[in-house]
Amino acid sequence: MAKAFPVPSPVSRGKLWFGFSGGAVAWTFHLMAAYLIAEFGCFSGWHTVVFAGVTAVSWSLLAISVLSMAAAAAAIWISWKARDRLCSGAAPAEQPGSEIYMARAGLFASGSFLFVIMVQTIPIFFFLGDC
Amino acid sequence: MTEAEEKRRQFVKTWAGPSGFPGWFAVVNNQPLGKRFMITAFIFFTLGGIQALLMRVQLGVSDNTFLGPQVYNQLFTMHGSTMMYLFAVPFLEGLALYLIPLMIGSRDVAFPRLTSFSYWTYLFGGIIFYASFLAGPVPDAGWFAYTPLSGPRYSGQGVDFWLLGLTLVEIAGLTAGVEIVVTLLKFRASGMALNRMPLFAWAILITGVMILFAFTTLLVATVLLELDRALGTRIFDTEFGGSSLLWQHLFWFFGHPEVYIIFIPATGIVSMIVAVSARRPMAAYILVAVSLLLTGFLSFGLWVHHMYTTGLPELSKSFFTAASLMIGVASGIQVFAWISTLWGTRPRFEVPLLFVLGFLFLFVLGGITGVMVAVVPFDWQVHDTFFIVAHFHYVLIGGVLFPIFAGLHFWLPKITGRMLNHTLGLWSFWLTFIGFNVTFFPMHIMGFLGLPRRVYTYPPELQLDGYNLAATVGSFILGMGFVVFVVNLVVSGRKGDKAGNNPWQADTLEWSVESPPTMYSFRQPPIVHGRNPLWSGDGPVRQNALALQAQAALTDAPHNWRATLSTDPMHAEPQSIQLLAGPSYKPAFAAVGIVAAAVGVLLQAYLLALMGIVFAVGAVLSWLWPDQKLLNIIRTSGLDQAAGLPIFTTGAKSTAWWGMICLLGISFMAFGALFYSYFYIRLFSAEWPQGNLPRPDLEWSAVIYALLPASAGAFFWAQRSFMHGARTAILIGLSGSILLALAHGILLCVELIRLPFTPQANAYASLFYIINWVLLLYVGTGFLMLVAALMRVRKEHADRTGHMALQMQVTALFWHFTAGAAVFVYAVLYLSPYLI
């Protein structure tokens, strides 16, 4: 029986998928959590609880923003490293095209989602203490 | 006749659809069904267009009495619903079902009988929509059907027609979505790795995934509203603790992605035409693919921008404003990529490119007004005015209809075998383009001047007669553009020049086969070496011995059953030979059963509804039951040896496994929407459970709910025993699993009957019952699957790697999901009232 491609990839599927979808998952988490915190916080009175001049709603939002941005940045880093490993060494004909494509796409996608999370974080600074 | 010729003749006969009028109902091939989807959608489009013209006549002058307010409400409801549900999505699904197998080198789609079921369900759903015109009460609550206007108190039976028709169309959309996703993941030609997929295929793949998530939310919303109307539940009834705003959340969680569900395929069409017209590969391929992904993903996070005026917290709105602005960046990437591809070339100015250029101009205008209304203060000023009407028509007609016309001019030569007339094409384009702008551009100004939408007339003091008359004249010019297109289609379809295989010298695989294509599309599975398979200079060619062996074995074969090559989702390396279902009446029967159930609910003849469901379930079971005679023919065919590939596969190599994953994705979303509704109502309720109802009993219900994980555990044991061939253990495990499932179902029913409140008591009670009913539906389905597995395993327990193993695996996926869902239902309904 004939032997199939592909040759084993130097980067694991898990890392590729994390790089590809990590930013999107981080953004989804950020939007949903921010929406819930704002709705629930404003409804339950969290916005009246203040630490260091900033409401509990805003502290919570800042915390999830930092977490989400860190996750998206990690996805970018993984994609960057994966692309470097996949493109180094082998001649173009021998390079695993799909994996390189996923790594590059992950780089762009997670980068874009990091940007969106950053933009979504800006309003928190303008609406401090406001519902 | 030589043996090879005889086999070829049989091969052609195997793929031919059944003949005669009765055979029309049994056809399952993607090409005729794709065409039927498109033709049916165009008939609905014509009806929706006539409704639009009638509305424009009414609005042509102030204080007009051509239409009364009631008829006007009905017309704008039916126009919007028709265009969004009955035209745009089904048409693009039909185009995808027709083109995708050709474009990716497959002989058909993954589940041909599901395509047939999808078509019939769509057709019957559309007929129910329009039956309201004959029955009397026409839907009049808008294409969005906001509650309480669409609730039982303020609307008549027209809304029931709308909800039940729409439910059928949603089922059709979801099944087509599954079909598209699995086909694109599993049936790509050897070598067509993810990085070589045509951009149209990328767009359709993303759309398919979006359909699974977005349509499920709408399905849940429409079923909940119909339950409010038919059974008197209280989910959207504010007087009984429900929330009318919840409908808006659920609807727009579908409604906004819906816009992109039709826009993303349209951009896929544009990318294909731009590259072919410029005669060079699309610029920034990866960026465009990623931007499609971004657009699809972000579109699920924008639904609140339709609800800026509903009193949401400022902070919430700001997040959605940010996300709404960002989606413009994703779309912008594509616009610049199209311009870059055309830049510096001497493109062929054929009619498809003209429509594409028209699209670019109009979509950018619609996109700019979209960015404007994403900003909260601006949205407040123009909300519910004609500015919004102008904006979304620029996006939907400019951004979707123009690409559809471009695509039709581009691919109709492939579909019909004849070129469309160029001169008539030019007339059609200019009439459509001019008519569109004359109709919709003045609406921006009318919106700024304060003309509200959805109002049947306006006073002359507003001094808007001139703008309105221009819009009305423009709408008729636009309509003439469509008429010229239809004339072109009819005339060219009969007398047009022969198209040949590749009239545009295009690059993708559909242009490598004859026009119109044969039913089997490809005599031998193609092998792809680059992103533009029909253009040279794609880079180094890497020969794949397995692909070559499979290609040789599958040339004109198999000759007495339908099959295509199945490849792995990422690299498109050959994985197996996939058996495809042949013609059958059963999908049409299943659709008839479902429509009978819908009509039963409509007429409040619940016995008919029950009979319809039983008939549909029977038809589906019969359709899915394996044909042992066929399986034996396949087992002895020797094709697996010749191709070096298995025919019966399990796990991620199998299409059935992927189909089940899609179904579980839909189910995940359905439970998610129900849980969201529960907690949304909870959040805004001062007391919980509402109305001093008792909190649910924890202990006894824990026993009932523990039965399902126990049943799943027994099935897990049975499956492991199956792999080891331990017959007695399999039978004990399966029987135990079935008995535990049955015990859960009976005890849960008893528990629900014993509850001290009814579903009509308040919103909490309604959701408590409905979520349990949905779980019971899953338990019932799983029970049938377990019984089917037991019946087969008694006869075929030795078939550990073949068809039976796949059935066990698919049943396991579903049953383990159901057990997991039960744990969540218990946590939400029973535990959470004690915690929050």
Side-chain angles (χ1 to χ4, degrees):
Chain A
M1 194 175 285
K3 202 170 175 201
F5 282 114
V7 290
S9 169
V11 180
S12 72
R13 284 252 168 125
K15 280 186 179 174
L16 279 174
W17 277 106
F18 176 73
F20 185 70
S21 56
V25 173
W27 170 75
T28 308
F29 166 75
H30 183 257
L31 186 72
M32 292 299 128
Y35 168 59
L36 276 178
I37 290 168
E39 285 270 344
F40 182 75
C42 291
F43 188 74
S44 65
W46 273 20
H47 62 293
T48 57
V49 182
V50 177
F51 302 102
V54 179
T55 67
V57 171
S58 297
W59 275 120
S60 314
L61 289 169
L62 281 172
I64 60 127
S65 299
V66 171
L67 269 177
S68 308
M69 282 190 268
I76 295 170
W77 174 251
I78 295 282
S79 289
W80 182 275
K81 298 297 285 180
R83 193 198 60 160
D84 279 359
R85 286 192 69 184
L86 290 163
C87 291
S88 62
E94 298 304 317
Q95 286 175 357
S98 304
E99 276 92 348
I100 293 173
Y101 174 77
M102 267 191 86
R104 284 185 180 152
L107 201 57
F108 292 134
S110 293
S112 306
F113 281 113
L114 174 62
F115 181 59
V116 180
I117 296 168
M118 287 164 74
V119 173
Q120 282 179 183
T121 305
I122 294 170
I124 301 168
F125 297 100
F126 289 93
F127 286 99
L128 287 177
D130 192 356
C131 274
Chain B
M1 192 180 281
T2 64
E3 192 185 350
E5 284 171 342
E6 173 57 20
K7 283 194 172 176
R8 164 128 183 85
R9 193 188 63 77
Q10 281 187 26
F11 172 75
V12 174
K13 193 180 161 194
T14 298
W15 279 94
S19 57
F21 179 71
W24 206 73
F25 296 92
V27 166
V28 296
N29 303 59
N30 71 303
Q31 289 172 26
L33 287 170
K35 280 194 277 190
R36 277 184 210 174
F37 260 107
M38 288 190 273
I39 292 167
T40 310
F42 251 103
I43 291 169
F44 284 124
F45 174 73
T46 309
L47 293 172
I50 292 168
Q51 289 152 9
L53 291 178
L54 289 172
M55 284 190 288
R56 278 316 319 164
V57 170
Q58 165 64 21
L59 293 172
V61 291
S62 53
D63 280 345
N64 198 357
T65 55
F66 174 69
L67 300 173
Q70 182 62 24
V71 175
Y72 187 84
N73 289 350
Q74 293 168 351
L75 285 179
F76 80 65
T77 299
M78 290 304 283
H79 167 72
S81 304
T82 301
M83 293 306 195
M84 294 302 279
Y85 306 125
L86 299 182
F87 167 63
V89 177
F91 179 85
L92 289 164
E93 283 176 344
L95 187 69
L97 289 169
Y98 187 96
L99 278 179
I100 285 296
L102 287 165
M103 199 176 272
I104 63 173
S106 169
R107 286 176 175 163
D108 206 323
V109 288
F111 309 108
R113 290 185 182 174
L114 197 63
T115 317
S116 166
F117 173 76
S118 179
Y119 173 72
W120 292 112
T121 318
Y122 158 57
L123 178 68
F124 294 146
I127 289 171
I128 288 182
F129 250 95
Y130 272 85
S132 61
F133 276 103
L134 301 174
V138 181
D140 57 358
W143 81 278
F144 37 80
Y146 283 163
T147 56
L149 185 63
S150 59
R153 208 168 298 167
Y154 302 106
S155 60
Q157 206 184 12
V159 174
D160 294 314
F161 278 95
W162 186 89
L163 286 166
L164 292 165
L166 183 54
T167 301
L168 263 66
V169 174
E170 288 154 4
I171 293 170
L174 282 169
T175 48
V178 173
E179 190 81 85
I180 287 166
V181 170
V182 180
T183 303
L184 274 162
L185 290 178
K186 289 297 298 166
F187 282 2
R188 300 201 308 274
S190 297
M192 191 182 277
L194 282 180
N195 55 319
R196 291 173 178 170
M197 258 167 65
L199 283 168
F200 180 71
W202 262 112
I204 293 295
L205 178 61
I206 290 161
T207 303
V209 176
M210 290 174 71
I211 285 174
L212 302 186
F213 291 106
F215 271 51
T216 307
T217 317
L218 182 66
L219 185 64
V220 169
T222 51
V223 169
L224 291 180
L225 183 53
E226 186 53 33
L227 286 173
D228 266 19
R229 297 177 59 83
L231 293 188
T233 56
R234 308 290 187 181
I235 293 156
F236 303 112
D237 189 342
T238 48
E239 203 175 315
F240 288 85
S243 167
S244 56
L245 212 54
L246 173 63
W247 169 264
Q248 288 201 36
H249 278 291
L250 292 175
F251 180 82
W252 286 117
F253 193 80
F254 147 80
H256 195 79
E258 156 83 345
V259 174
Y260 290 93
I261 282 170
I262 56 181
F263 171 67
I264 288 176
T267 62
I269 295 171
V270 170
S271 293
M272 304 301 286
I273 294 173
V274 163
V276 172
S277 300
R279 284 170 284 201
R280 72 181 192 194
M282 184 71 189
Y285 172 90
I286 294 184
L287 274 178
V288 173
V290 170
S291 80
L292 288 170
L293 197 77
L294 273 175
T295 308
F297 216 92
L298 283 171
S299 71
F300 281 93
L302 312 183
W303 84 94
V304 167
H305 78 205
H306 295 269
M307 300 168 62
Y308 281 160
T309 58
T310 57
L312 298 172
E314 299 296 326
L315 206 49
S316 295
K317 283 185 284 197
S318 66
F319 302 132
F320 291 93
T321 296
S324 304
L325 293 171
M326 284 301 102
I327 206 162
V329 176
S331 303
I333 291 171
Q334 289 194 76
V335 172
F336 284 110
W338 294 321
I339 293 170
S340 305
T341 307
L342 289 169
W343 197 264
T345 65
R346 298 178 70 185
R348 274 189 298 242
F349 276 94
E350 301 283 352
V351 179
L353 184 63
L354 279 181
F355 272 102
V356 163
L357 294 176
F359 150 82
L360 267 175
F361 176 75
L362 300 176
F363 174 68
V364 168
L365 267 178
I368 289 169
T369 53
V371 172
M372 290 158 74
V373 293
V375 179
V376 178
F378 186 90
D379 183 76
W380 281 353
Q381 295 304 310
V382 295
H383 186 77
D384 269 349
T385 71
F386 261 73
F387 185 89
I388 300 296
V389 180
H391 157 66
F392 71 70
H393 279 91
Y394 265 82
V395 173
L396 292 175
I397 294 185
V400 178
L401 197 65
F402 271 67
I404 283 178
F405 277 115
L408 283 173
H409 281 88
F410 187 64
W411 277 300
L412 271 173
K414 174 57 58 187
I415 296 170
T416 64
R418 292 182 184 275
M419 301 298 290
L420 286 173
N421 182 287
H422 181 74
T423 310
L424 284 174
L426 288 179
W427 272 99
S428 171
F429 168 73
W430 286 112
L431 284 170
T432 309
F433 186 76
I434 293 167
F436 172 81
N437 282 294
V438 174
T439 307
F440 292 103
F441 193 80
M443 290 185 190
H444 292 111
I445 302 163
M446 288 192 271
F448 279 138
L449 295 175
L451 183 64
R453 62 193 282 213
R454 304 184 196 121
V455 178
Y456 83 109
T457 191
Y458 51 94
E461 294 77 34
L462 280 178
Q463 298 183 328
L464 294 175
D465 290 60
Y467 292 117
N468 266 309
L469 190 59
T472 301
V473 171
S475 68
F476 278 87
I477 298 172
L478 179 59
M480 280 164 61
F482 176 64
V483 171
V484 172
F485 169 73
V486 174
V487 170
N488 193 0
L489 188 62
V490 173
V491 172
S492 304
R494 288 181 180 178
K495 296 180 182 172
D497 296 336
K498 290 270 173 71
N501 286 9
N502 192 358
W504 311 111
Q505 286 81 51
D507 59 326
T508 38
L509 287 177
E510 75 272 25
W511 301 105
S512 67
V513 298
E514 55 202 276
S515 309
T518 52
M519 285 291 218
Y520 48 84
S521 302
F522 297 92
R523 282 184 62 196
Q524 58 174 199
I527 298 175
V528 169
H529 297 292
R531 206 171 275 165
N532 313 94
L534 303 193
W535 288 347
S536 57
D538 268 332
V541 172
R542 190 168 55 171
Q543 291 299 346
N544 182 335
L546 184 58
L548 289 170
Q549 185 182 348
Q551 186 183 48
L554 280 169
T555 303
D556 292 341
H559 61 275
N560 50 358
W561 45 285
R562 296 184 182 188
T564 194
L565 183 68
S566 175
T567 53
D568 94 276
M570 194 162 165
H571 303 282
E573 298 297 333
Q575 268 190 335
S576 65
I577 295 163
Q578 180 64 47
L579 162 69
L580 295 172
S584 172
Y585 294 100
K586 289 164 191 168
F589 287 154
V592 168
I594 288 180
V595 82
V599 171
V601 174
L602 202 58
L603 302 175
Q604 297 185 331
Y606 294 112
L607 186 62
L608 173 65
L610 189 66
M611 285 166 64
I613 290 169
V614 171
F615 185 74
V617 170
V620 170
L621 285 176
S622 163
W623 147 19
L624 292 175
W625 200 258
D627 178 350
Q628 287 302 335
K629 199 175 149 192
L630 177 63
L631 292 180
N632 286 333
I633 291 172
I634 295 167
R635 283 183 188 122
T636 55
S637 67
L639 190 64
D640 46 355
Q641 293 295 321
L645 293 168
I647 297 174
F648 299 108
T649 52
T650 54
K653 289 184 177 176
S654 140
T655 51
W657 188 88
W658 282 100
M660 181 51 77
I661 293 294
C662 289
L663 177 65
L664 297 187
I666 291 170
S667 308
F668 175 82
M669 202 64 202
F671 277 105
L674 287 170
F675 293 156
Y676 173 84
S677 304
Y678 180 90
F679 285 115
Y680 187 86
I681 300 277
R682 167 72 193 93
L683 182 62
F684 295 104
S685 296
E687 53 171 0
W688 198 255
Q690 295 167 330
N692 289 322
L693 295 180
R695 284 191 289 192
D697 168 46
L698 274 181
E699 289 83 13
W700 179 231
S701 55
V703 174
I704 296 173
Y705 273 82
L707 291 172
L708 275 186
S711 172
F715 188 83
F716 180 73
W717 182 56
Q719 202 187 3
R720 284 193 66 179
S721 307
F722 178 84
M723 297 314 292
H724 295 111
R727 181 181 162 80
T728 312
I730 307 167
L731 294 177
I732 292 171
L734 267 174
S735 304
S737 184
I738 289 169
L739 288 175
L740 287 165
L742 191 65
H744 168 85
I746 292 169
L747 290 173
L748 185 57
C749 286
V750 171
E751 179 74 359
L752 290 176
I753 291 166
R754 286 176 51 210
L755 281 175
F757 53 83
T758 64
Q760 293 83 11
N762 54 40
Y764 163 80
S766 302
L767 279 164
F768 191 90
Y769 272 93
I770 290 168
I771 292 174
N772 271 311
W773 289 339
V774 172
L775 182 66
L776 278 172
L777 181 70
Y778 273 77
V779 172
T781 309
F783 177 78
L784 289 176
M785 291 172 78
L786 292 171
V787 170
L790 180 67
M791 285 168 69
R792 274 196 79 193
V793 88
R794 287 179 64 183
K795 290 182 185 171
E796 303 173 51
H797 69 282
D799 181 24
R800 292 203 296 277
T801 54
H803 201 264
M804 186 59 228
L806 179 63
Q807 183 170 346
M808 288 291 280
Q809 210 169 46
V810 166
T811 306
L813 278 175
F814 185 84
W815 197 234
H816 293 150
F817 173 87
T818 304
V823 173
F824 275 95
V825 168
Y826 181 76
V828 170
L829 293 186
Y830 294 85
L831 285 178
S832 77
Y834 291 89
L835 301 174
I836 50 174

